[in-house]
Amino acid sequence: MSQPRVLLAGNPNAGKTTLFNRLTGSSARVGNYPGVTVECSAGTLRCDDTLSVTLMDLPGTYSLSARSPEERVAVDAMFASGEAAPAAIVVVVDALALTRNLYLALQIMETGLPVIIALNMMDAARDAGLAIDSDLLSAGLGVPVIPISATRREGLPELRAQLARTLHAGGAAGEVPVVRYPGAVEAAVATVTPAIAAFKPDASPQAARALALWALLSLGDDELVAIPSALRDAAASARARAEESATDLDQAVIAARYAFLEEVVESAVTRPSAQRRTFTDKLDALLLHRVSGFVVFATVMYVVFEALFSWSEPMVGVIEGGVVSAQDMVNAALPPGALRELLKDGVIAGVGNVIVFVPQIAMLFLMLGFLEDSGYLARVAFLIDRVMARVGLHGKAFVPLLSGFACAVPAVMATRTIESRRDRIATMLALPLMSCSARLPVYVLVIATIFSGEERVAGVFSPGALVLFTMYLVSTLATLGAAAVLRRTVLKGPRPALVLELPPYRRPEWRTLLRSTWERVRSFLVDAGTIILAISIVLWALLTYPKSEEVHARYEAQRSELASVADESERASRLEQLDAAEAGEQIRKSAAGRVGLAIEPVLQPLGFDWRIGVGIIGAFAAREVFVSTLATVFGISAGDEDATPVREALANASHTDGRKLMTPLAGLSLMLFFVFACQCMSTIAVVKRESGSWKWPMLMFGYMTTLAYVVSLAVYQLGSAFGWGLG
Amino acid sequence: MAPTLPVEQLDSVPVGRSATVVSVACDRATARRLMELGLLPGTRVDVVRVAPMGCPLELRVRDSALSIRRVEAARVAVQLLPEAAPVRPAVSPSVGHAAR
Ligand SMILES: Nc1nc2c(ncn2[C@@H]2O[C@H](COP(=O)(O)OP(=O)(O)O)[C@@H](O)[C@H]2O)c(=O)[nH]1
Ligand SMILES: [Mg+2]
């Protein structure tokens, strides 16, 4: 049975998410609109005993006019045909900014679709001394207006009852508000209306008129696709005609709508005689102040960072422990063989690779949701926009970039708060250059290998700390540089203006926060998780197969010799050494080992050999895996907690011609390679998920790998030419 | 308001003062966005504050706080209102009909 569809529309921060959750309870599911990466939640709403509807959440927007495919989602949902055609539209309106919120409602009413206005935030309006006569408002607009407070659940039964009445009335279109447009606008509408048939053939005459107005406002400088050329031509010629008579059509249409709304609002709203300083005004005086504002800003950002970096650590530990015990269980339950290895090292380890991100994602989205719903995120953008604008990014890119220091995966997901697609993708493609926490074990290993720890520069600084600091500095500069370059090249476009609303401060609701956080986690597990799992298994297979029977037979022979060793623990440790040594020889024969050997000539100019190459291939699963892969390559039994044996092996390793492998110069080159290279399948998977196509992650992988190669090459070659660091 | 008041750019209005919009001459997309948010010729706008680093500005337009950068503000022509004007009038001065 298919239920009637009802759409929920509204300005950002009008309380749409809160109302949606209240009305649909636990039935909500999140999906994507076809073709675009715009999310849409849908859930079941029971109006009365006989009537249930599917409530669909439209993206929060100030108007229906559209320049990009994402902004067009609302219009397409309203004019969907057949099953998907909406039976009614509920517009959530913030009572505290009534006229501006009604602008969107008016645009929707003009289509002739049945509209119900949910006048939200009535509690806050009362507190502010604002009296709104909803009957007068309803009479003036010609649609039902139901005063509600979504957080306090006030007016929700009335809203349900009204929806039932509207739908039982057969969805008969309400009166269409009579906005008096000037003659030039009417002439333009008359020119464009006939062309609407080619765009939305099912549109009623009323809807065609509304769509003609939509086309006049939207077309011209847009990036919309699948707009019939007849419609484009008609809109262009109407605009040209209006220009001849010196009429700005955009302004004429918008001003006529506001004039209509002002008259209605004026009749229905009584304002307090004296304006009080609101809570938001007082708090902003503190939070946007040039001193206290930055103190709070720095504190908040520090908390976000700390939570990502350290608070999630215990949970990550639990997950890693769980993976190990699951592997032990499989080990005990199955006989040795290919199946056991596949389950243990391929599947379970791969699942571990996915869920290990969950604590950080949950942590970041809880905090981001809090910042966004409270209204502070907009203030963050306000405070820091000056800096971000320099590299062509939006002020809202700051939190994702900062999160990139912890992990690119949640950080990429956090770019959703940025509305403009270009800004969002530029941020997403640049932020994996931020030095994430998974790079740290690599830096630490290399630094410990090339420096003794006792040396000091200028008496106080240890060279290791200086090098580490330099890596973070280089990565930050590279991120900002990459963003600037991306915005001027592949993502070039009109610099979108910052038009940012600073909403009143409001108390976020835990339920809403937890729910949207869970949605983020779920969509990560489902969409990006499957890709990560698949790549994990492929990588494991590459590092494991083919196996050499000859090598295996040789080690088996040595193992059987051990049977004569009497001492139990002595035998166990000898066996372990043999296992590690065999793994070291086997990895050389594996596909990854062969690739490592094959690309050695390409790596040698950077100061690497095939073993480092195999480590880099393994690190694609996650950068810190570099350390354990190297352990395997060197035939060391992998001690996860202690990297000392790897460090010693690395320090003693030499090239085939006897030169030392890890000179300080080669170490520097290796660290820089890790700063720049996109050595992380999870980042790639999540960028695919968030950008909606493989094109962007491929571009990211391409530019980062090229950058890594060129920088390491330049450093190693210049360094060698000047003769430093060869010792 | 007296028609003799000089026209200036929104970014030169001092913090704490109010002005009436005369024209919005940004690029089309930005102008449309600003107008749809209610910043139309005839609308009253209060300049609330400037961000600590000098950009962007915070404006109050029709009961909501909007922030725009200086470059955009420089393309919005306004008439400064006398200092005595009450902060936030009951209803912003009527828009008047657009295509005059
Ligand atoms: N005082 C008050 N706050 C509300 C009401 N409805 C929502 N909010 C708060 O307003 C903020 C934005 O709400 P949200 O549902 O996220 O708005 P959306 O952006 O339209 O989805 C949140 O902090 C909510 O808790 C209401 O009726 N009264
Ligand atoms: Mg929301």
Side-chain angles (χ1 to χ4, degrees):
Chain A
M1 189 197 77
S2 94
Q3 300 171 339
R5 250 183 213 215
V6 172
L7 303 179
L8 190 63
N11 283 190
N13 306 308
K16 225 158 46 67
T17 311
T18 313
L19 180 62
F20 180 85
N21 289 347
R22 289 280 186 272
L23 292 177
T24 58
S26 56
S27 67
R29 294 286 167 271
V30 174
N32 259 359
Y33 284 99
V36 286
T37 48
V38 177
E39 280 197 342
C40 105
S41 316
T44 299
L45 156 64
R46 283 177 65 84
C47 300
D48 59 24
D49 294 340
T50 57
L51 184 65
S52 288
V53 300
T54 301
L55 190 66
M56 284 185 50
D57 189 22
L58 292 175
T61 168
Y62 295 107
S63 117
L64 290 185
S65 36
R67 293 186 66 238
S68 65
E70 282 82 7
E71 289 171 332
R72 195 179 137 175
V73 158
V75 168
D76 286 340
M78 268 175 233
F79 292 98
S81 51
E83 287 253 304
I89 298 170
V90 175
V91 188
V92 188
V93 166
D94 179 353
L96 290 171
L98 192 53
T99 319
R100 194 205 66 208
N101 273 256
L102 284 175
Y103 180 85
L104 173 71
L106 178 59
Q107 271 186 309
I108 298 175
M109 288 185 289
E110 284 184 325
T111 63
L113 288 163
V115 167
I116 299 169
I117 291 181
L119 185 59
N120 195 26
M121 311 272 178
M122 284 306 279
D123 58 314
R126 277 195 303 270
D127 293 347
L130 208 61
I132 305 177
D133 185 330
S134 57
D135 293 331
L136 275 178
L137 205 54
S138 169
L141 295 169
V143 294
V145 176
I146 313 293
I148 67 164
S149 166
T151 43
R152 300 194 183 186
R153 300 171 185 270
E154 288 169 19
L156 302 190
E158 290 80 359
L159 182 61
R160 285 199 175 86
Q162 179 59 53
L163 196 52
R165 272 198 298 283
T166 301
L167 294 183
H168 284 311
E175 288 170 56
V176 173
V178 254
V179 178
R180 282 190 311 276
Y181 291 107
V185 172
E186 291 297 347
V189 168
T191 312
V192 174
T193 307
I196 293 298
F199 181 43
K200 303 277 179 192
D202 304 334
S204 68
Q206 187 57 53
R209 181 184 154 82
L211 279 166
L213 284 165
W214 177 84
L216 284 170
L217 279 194
S218 301
L219 300 183
D221 61 342
D222 62 291
E223 288 157 20
L224 299 170
V225 289
I227 299 284
S229 59
L231 180 55
R232 278 195 185 283
D233 295 346
S237 73
R239 293 189 66 82
R241 193 121 15 95
E243 240 156 64
E244 280 167 24
S245 61
T247 306
D248 176 351
L249 274 183
D250 293 347
Q251 185 182 322
V253 171
I254 298 167
R257 286 174 177 159
Y258 266 101
F260 171 87
L261 290 174
E262 279 188 346
E263 214 167 290
V264 175
V265 168
E266 202 173 347
S267 73
V269 176
T270 320
R271 287 159 194 264
S273 48
Q275 281 287 347
R276 281 170 288 169
R277 243 179 127 223
T278 63
F279 173 67
T280 297
D281 294 336
K282 290 179 206 157
L283 203 52
D284 269 345
L286 187 74
L287 296 187
L288 300 180
H289 184 266
R290 74 166 63 87
V291 179
S292 57
F294 279 111
V295 172
V296 174
F297 176 87
T299 312
V300 170
M301 290 307 133
Y302 178 76
V303 169
V304 169
F305 191 67
E306 190 65 22
L308 272 184
F309 218 83
S310 10
W311 298 355
S312 57
E313 202 56 35
M315 287 179 276
V316 170
V318 169
I319 291 169
E320 284 168 351
V323 169
V324 171
S325 29
Q327 287 175 327
D328 288 346
M329 268 163 57
V330 169
N331 230 1
L334 293 179
L339 178 67
R340 185 169 91 176
E341 279 178 34
L342 171 69
L343 278 180
K344 187 169 79 112
D345 301 326
V347 178
I348 297 179
V351 170
N353 282 346
V354 175
I355 53 180
V356 76
F357 287 109
V358 168
Q360 283 187 326
I361 291 174
M363 203 63 104
L364 182 58
F365 275 95
L366 263 185
M367 270 179 301
L368 205 59
F370 185 88
L371 296 183
E372 190 169 31
D373 287 2
S374 66
Y376 189 68
L377 194 63
R379 270 75 181 181
V380 168
F382 181 75
L383 287 173
I384 207 73
D385 181 71
R386 182 74 195 264
V387 178
M388 303 313 285
R390 290 285 293 272
V391 291
L393 291 180
H394 191 280
K396 285 193 179 171
F398 185 79
V399 175
L401 287 186
L402 179 77
S403 313
F405 274 131
C407 178
V409 170
V412 165
M413 294 175 72
T415 57
R416 281 161 182 259
T417 51
I418 305 168
E419 291 102 60
S420 142
R421 178 176 167 81
R422 261 204 201 87
D423 283 356
R424 197 165 62 234
I425 295 202
T427 311
M428 222 182 272
L429 296 192
L431 73 78
L433 285 169
M434 293 297 262
S435 201
C436 66
S437 58
R439 284 161 166 115
L440 201 54
V442 180
Y443 300 154
V444 169
L445 173 70
V446 176
I447 288 174
T449 308
I450 60 181
F451 298 112
S452 74
E454 266 110 58
E455 299 152 69
R456 287 287 177 277
V457 175
V460 277
F461 305 109
S462 73
L466 277 181
V467 167
L468 192 61
F469 178 76
T470 309
M471 292 303 136
Y472 277 89
L473 189 67
V474 166
S475 92
T476 310
L477 295 178
T479 308
L480 298 180
V485 171
L486 285 166
R487 283 302 269 112
R488 281 169 183 73
T489 53
V490 275
L491 291 160
K492 187 163 65 190
R495 188 182 52 87
L498 174 89
V499 180
L500 181 73
E501 192 194 355
L502 301 174
Y505 290 107
R506 296 208 168 103
R507 183 174 328 127
E509 288 212 297
W510 280 112
R511 279 175 47 129
T512 313
L513 292 181
L514 289 175
R515 194 163 162 162
S516 60
T517 301
W518 163 240
E519 267 317 319
R520 290 285 88 81
V521 169
R522 200 187 61 91
S523 77
F524 167 78
L525 290 177
V526 173
D527 301 325
T530 42
I531 302 176
I532 297 173
L533 178 59
I535 302 179
S536 293
I537 295 175
V538 170
L539 269 179
W540 164 80
L542 286 179
L543 286 160
T544 312
Y545 294 104
K547 285 198 177 201
S548 158
E549 281 307 322
E550 185 267 329
V551 171
H552 186 63
R554 184 146 46 77
Y555 278 92
E556 280 298 280
Q558 292 188 37
R559 282 193 188 93
S560 50
E561 281 170 26
L562 282 180
S564 60
V565 179
D567 182 25
E568 192 60 44
S569 68
E570 161 86 18
R571 193 167 64 222
S573 90
R574 297 266 295 272
L575 267 176
E576 201 173 297
Q577 281 173 11
L578 278 182
D579 286 349
E582 181 183 352
E585 272 196 51
Q586 289 288 13
I587 201 171
R588 192 184 179 123
K589 307 275 180 193
S590 73
R594 286 163 210 242
V595 171
L597 280 165
I599 60 172
E600 189 168 46
V602 186
L603 296 179
Q604 231 141 24
L606 313 187
F608 310 159
D609 70 351
W610 73 271
R611 292 170 292 195
I612 306 275
V614 176
I616 290 173
I617 296 171
F620 193 60
R623 290 181 177 95
E624 69 272 19
V625 172
F626 180 74
V627 180
S628 59
T629 310
L630 269 193
T632 311
V633 173
F634 281 116
I636 302 163
S637 54
D640 264 354
E641 289 75 39
D642 186 12
T644 319
V646 189
R647 197 184 68 211
E648 280 164 3
L650 198 57
N652 298 329
S654 47
H655 288 280
T656 36
D657 57 10
R659 279 178 304 124
K660 197 167 153 52
L661 178 62
M662 266 301 115
T663 61
L665 187 59
L668 193 64
S669 162
L670 182 58
M671 282 189 279
L672 284 169
F673 189 86
F674 269 88
V675 167
F676 290 102
C678 186
Q679 276 307 103
C680 180
M681 59 169 181
S682 308
T683 306
I684 292 181
V686 82
V687 169
K688 151 77 174 65
R689 162 74 181 81
E690 297 295 318
S691 67
S693 88
W694 280 110
K695 173 174 130 194
W696 298 113
M698 287 302 129
L699 175 73
M700 178 178 79
F701 182 76
Y703 98 79
M704 286 179 68
T705 308
T706 310
L707 205 56
Y709 190 84
V710 170
V711 170
S712 291
L713 180 72
V715 166
Y716 192 74
Q717 290 305 322
L718 286 176
S720 308
F722 289 109
W724 26 276
L726 284 166
Chain B
M1 68 201 85
T4 48
L5 280 176
V7 170
E8 53 182 299
Q9 297 170 343
L10 180 54
D11 67 330
S12 61
V13 173
V15 168
R17 295 288 296 272
S18 306
T20 306
V21 177
V22 173
S23 69
V24 182
C26 312
D27 62 285
R28 187 182 166 208
T30 310
R32 188 180 56 207
R33 186 98 196 262
L34 289 174
M35 291 191 290
E36 291 198 305
L37 285 165
L39 192 84
L40 280 156
T43 311
R44 175 190 166 131
V45 44
D46 305 339
V47 178
V48 179
R49 65 165 59 78
V50 175
M53 285 191 263
C55 185
L57 312 177
E58 181 187 338
L59 313 172
R60 182 128 205 130
V61 182
R62 292 176 200 268
D63 303 317
S64 63
L66 278 189
S67 171
I68 66 176
R69 290 185 184 141
R70 278 189 183 277
V71 265
E72 272 87 39
R75 315 205 59 181
V76 176
V78 295
Q79 281 179 332
L80 196 63
L81 288 170
E83 207 151 350
V87 191
R88 285 182 237 161
V91 171
S92 48
S94 170
V95 169
H97 286 273
R100 264 160 283 200

